[in-house]
Amino acid sequence: MDRLDRAPGQFRNFQKDDFEADWIKVAKCKSGEVYQVKVKLWRENCALKTFDTTLKIIEEVSSIAKLKFKYIIPIYGMCSEVTALVMEYMSNGSLNNLLTSHSLMWPKKFQMIHETSLGMNFLHSMKPPLLHLNLKTSNILVDDHLHIKISDFGLIHWEEGMNKTLFMERLAARGNISYIPPETFTHSPDPPGTTFDVYSFGIVMWEILTQQKPYAGCSVTTVLLQVSQGKRPCVTMIPDQRPPECEQMISIMKQCWDDDHRKRSPFSDFVKQTEALSEVFKVPGPIHSGKNGDADQKANYPWLFSSVKKITNTEMSVCPSDGQYDKEAILSM
Ligand code: ATP
Ligand code: MG
């Protein structure tokens, strides 16, 4: 029997030789590298994410790999020869990149927010809830059809008796400071719970709605201090020309990043709302061509034709890049 020809659902340990020789490097990050690799037997591209530390990852991954849901990334197995995780390859990369390279139309923004809340709701519906603790736009991946899947869940843990400062530093070292709720900064924080992820989701919502980076240009210390004092990314950066339903999205977002973690609603409480909001833009009834055919459709329902538009260099120049923002403007509510 071939090594990959396993019983359904069985966790696989790939060998380097299971992949074609040409590995394409997709990204290099603090914790390792991501490659696009082709599995010889399956004739299909996969993503291979290496870890530079020998985490006690195998036992963890083998259990999270069993999770299957439309909005979470399928994990196919490990390649222990290179300490790597093998998962579905998402052709459109991360939402983080998409938000800077393309201008998203409101229906697509609402849909992505909703799909992320569905993925998170699924993880939190586990018993006990599976905490992500690393939810950010680079861990939301985008497929060929611009649907999202959440990745890198369940890899960060709060261990009993863990040094709390170390936990914080570990998160901050990943460049995650914007996504960490303020209660984590206190001297003796409680172990993180589901409300940690809800807070991170609030920041992700802001990024989707504004297509900007939170606290751009601010140092880690500034973010830490200001967020502890109740400041959050600036809501006025959400474009004025927005659908009226956006106000409800903003209110969910603010609730998600509330200072008081007990006031942050669980995903199960607001998935129905994000569902309703994402359905607002669905075309009512069957789609018929008007007498002008596609032209009519395009005028009435532009998102049917293009839900994302590549940002050109000229357009990019009007969006301030990292470091060019007025810090006060970013941090005031
Ligand atoms: P962290 O290690 O905290 O998750 P990160 O998400 O920034 O940090 P990686 O997980 O290594 O770093 O991912 C880096 C980039 O690699 C992502 O932003 C994305 O562009 C790309 N990437 C990761 N996984 C996949 C995948 N399954 N398919 C396609 N591209 C991927
Ligand atoms: Mg990641």
Side-chain angles (χ1 to χ4, degrees):
M1 188 173 80
D2 193 283
R3 243 194 339 268
L4 295 182
D5 185 16
R6 297 276 172 102
Q10 197 165 344
F11 187 67
R12 297 182 176 88
N13 189 8
F14 293 83
Q15 306 296 306
K16 267 162 63 178
D17 188 45
D18 289 326
F19 309 112
E20 296 286 0
D22 49 332
W23 293 20
I24 302 168
K25 197 189 274 187
V26 176
K28 168 148 184 52
C29 297
K30 293 189 185 90
S31 50
E33 282 154 1
V34 177
Y35 295 88
Q36 181 192 320
V37 292
K38 189 166 196 163
V39 178
K40 285 180 188 167
L41 184 70
W42 297 342
R43 310 305 313 150
E44 181 62 17
N45 286 329
C46 289
L48 184 141
K49 172 172 166 150
T50 65
F51 295 88
D52 48 16
T53 46
T54 321
L55 301 171
K56 53 173 193 101
I57 208 165
I58 299 193
E59 333 141 28
E60 286 160 13
V61 171
S62 60
S63 64
I64 60 175
K66 293 193 186 106
L67 298 180
K68 305 277 177 263
F69 191 63
K70 193 170 173 187
Y71 302 110
I72 64 170
I73 196 98
I75 297 169
Y76 299 135
M78 286 283 301
C79 178
S80 36
E81 266 181 285
V82 286
T83 327
L85 225 153
V86 181
M87 57 187 145
E88 181 176 327
Y89 180 73
M90 297 285 277
S91 60
N92 273 310
S94 71
L95 180 59
N96 183 41
N97 292 339
L98 189 79
L99 289 173
T100 53
S101 62
H102 288 74
S103 169
L104 271 60
M105 300 198 71
W106 291 102
K108 188 44 82 181
K109 290 183 179 188
F110 279 29
Q111 183 206 322
M112 285 180 161
I113 289 175
H114 177 52
E115 292 182 353
T116 308
S117 67
L118 286 175
M120 289 307 300
N121 181 47
F122 172 80
L123 296 179
H124 285 190
S125 69
M126 300 283 118
K127 299 229 172 353
L130 179 62
L131 304 184
H132 194 304
L133 304 183
N134 195 12
L135 179 65
K136 51 184 173 179
T137 48
S138 69
N139 281 337
I140 299 173
L141 303 175
V142 186
D143 72 9
D144 296 352
H145 307 288
L146 299 172
H147 289 284
I148 69 93
K149 289 185 203 284
I150 296 171
S151 77
D152 293 342
F153 45 88
L155 298 179
I156 292 186
H157 298 280
W158 171 281
E159 282 139 35
E160 218 40 67
M162 188 176 194
N163 178 333
K164 292 164 183 177
T165 324
L166 191 73
F167 177 72
M168 253 291 293
E169 279 169 3
R170 220 187 257 180
L171 295 176
R174 289 171 175 265
N176 290 6
I177 193 74
S178 314
Y179 303 92
I180 305 175
E183 65 274 11
T184 322
F185 308 152
T186 57
H187 284 302
S188 61
D190 291 327
T194 50
T195 56
F196 186 113
D197 287 338
V198 174
Y199 179 92
S200 312
F201 177 72
I203 304 292
V204 166
M205 283 182 84
W206 181 90
E207 282 186 76
I208 298 178
L209 295 175
T210 59
Q211 298 207 230
Q212 303 285 342
K213 291 263 163 266
Y215 320 118
C218 297
S219 69
V220 170
T221 325
T222 311
V223 175
L224 219 136
L225 282 172
Q226 302 278 356
V227 170
S228 307
Q229 289 167 17
K231 303 271 178 74
R232 297 290 184 272
C234 191
V235 174
T236 57
M237 288 182 77
I238 300 171
D240 288 338
Q241 283 189 320
R242 57 194 189 218
E245 292 78 13
C246 201
E247 303 318 310
Q248 272 185 69
M249 277 295 189
I250 294 172
S251 128
I252 297 173
M253 175 183 83
K254 285 184 174 169
Q255 210 184 36
C256 287
W257 69 29
D258 200 290
D259 242 356
D260 182 351
H261 71 96
R262 288 160 305 191
K263 291 194 185 146
R264 296 178 204 145
S265 308
F267 286 99
S268 56
D269 273 14
F270 59 79
V271 278
K272 271 194 188 153
Q273 264 176 285
T274 55
E275 178 180 64
L277 290 170
S278 67
E279 282 176 357
V280 161
F281 298 105
K282 288 207 174 133
V283 178
I287 303 165
H288 299 296
S289 282
K291 68 176 179 330
N292 295 326
D294 274 5
D296 279 354
Q297 290 289 350
K298 203 164 190 166
N300 294 331
Y301 311 112
W303 56 89
L304 284 178
F305 291 82
S306 144
S307 53
V308 297
K309 181 168 126 323
K310 190 146 183 54
I311 298 175
T312 62
N313 284 341
T314 358
E315 282 168 322
M316 264 179 179
S317 64
V318 297
C319 306
S321 58
D322 279 13
Q324 290 180 303
Y325 294 103
D326 170 354
K327 291 178 190 170
E328 288 309 309
I330 299 277
L331 287 165
S332 57
M333 285 279 277

